[in-house]
Amino acid sequence: MPSIHRRHFMTALGGAIALGAGGVTLARALMGPAPVPPAAVFAENGVAIRGADPVAYFTEGRAVIGSAEYALDWQGAEWHFASAANRDAFRADPLAYAPQYGGFCAWAVAAKAELYSTQPTNWAIVDGKLYLNFNDDIQARWSTDIPGFIAAADRNWADIGAGGRG
C-alpha cells in the first residue's frame, strides 16, 4: 500500500535540510528537555492522542478531533471519536486503527528509543498503519527514511513501550 503523507515532498526535504548536520542538537531543542513518562498510550489527562479520532485518519485522510460523546476506554486511556460509527469500528478492531507505538512520536521511538508526545496533524499512514510525530520538523526528519525509522522503532518498542517499561 502506498504511503500517505500530510506534507508535500518539498516540506519534508526542506525540514531535512534544515536539520542537516545539527539535526540531533536541533531535535533535542525542538523536543524539549526530557521524554514523557513511560506508558502504553500517549494520553494527556487520560485522553489518547490529544483527542484525535484514529479512525478518521483512515476514512477522511486527515486529523479530526473526536468528542467525549463518542468515547471508548482502551489500553488505559480514553479514545475520542467523531462519530458512533468510528467508535464502533475501532471497538471491533482497535489494532487496525490505533497508532503505532501507542501514539508516541515514531521518530523518537526509532532515533532515541524514548517516548515523546505527538501532534494530531503530524501523521502518516504507511502500509496500512498510522504513525504520529512530535511536530513538523520531526515529521520531515522521519520522512527522510520511513522504512529505516519504522524498523528501528519496531525493535525499540519492545523495550520502551507496553512490552517493556510502559
Side-chain angles (χ1 to χ4, degrees):
M1 176 182 289
S3 300
I4 303 170
H5 299 284
R6 189 180 78 75
R7 300 279 186 231
H8 295 284
F9 174 74
M10 292 308 292
T11 302
L13 181 60
I17 292 168
L19 286 171
V24 173
T25 302
L26 181 56
R28 283 190 181 143
L30 292 171
M31 296 183 77
V36 297
V41 172
F42 168 58
E44 289 185 332
N45 301 316
V47 177
I49 62 172
R50 298 187 192 272
D53 178 341
V55 175
Y57 289 104
F58 295 90
T59 61
E60 296 189 35
R62 63 186 180 98
V64 174
I65 299 302
S67 167
E69 179 181 354
Y70 305 112
L72 172 71
D73 288 332
W74 185 72
Q75 295 288 311
E78 182 176 287
W79 296 75
H80 289 183
F81 301 90
S83 68
N86 283 8
R87 180 197 58 215
D88 295 346
F90 187 90
R91 180 185 290 134
D93 192 1
L95 296 180
Y97 299 105
Q100 300 301 294
Y101 322 121
F104 289 99
C105 177
W107 181 87
V109 171
K112 299 178 64 112
E114 293 179 351
L115 304 178
Y116 284 87
S117 66
T118 54
Q119 296 297 323
T121 56
N122 296 107
W123 64 280
I125 294 175
V126 180
D127 295 329
K129 296 179 181 181
L130 175 61
Y131 299 87
L132 300 173
N133 277 292
F134 180 76
N135 64 19
D136 291 346
D137 293 326
I138 296 303
Q139 179 86 18
R141 183 169 180 91
W142 184 76
S143 295
T144 64
D145 183 14
I146 292 171
F149 286 124
I150 289 173
D154 287 349
R155 286 189 303 272
N156 292 341
W157 184 244
D159 293 329
I160 64 171
R165 304 182 297 159

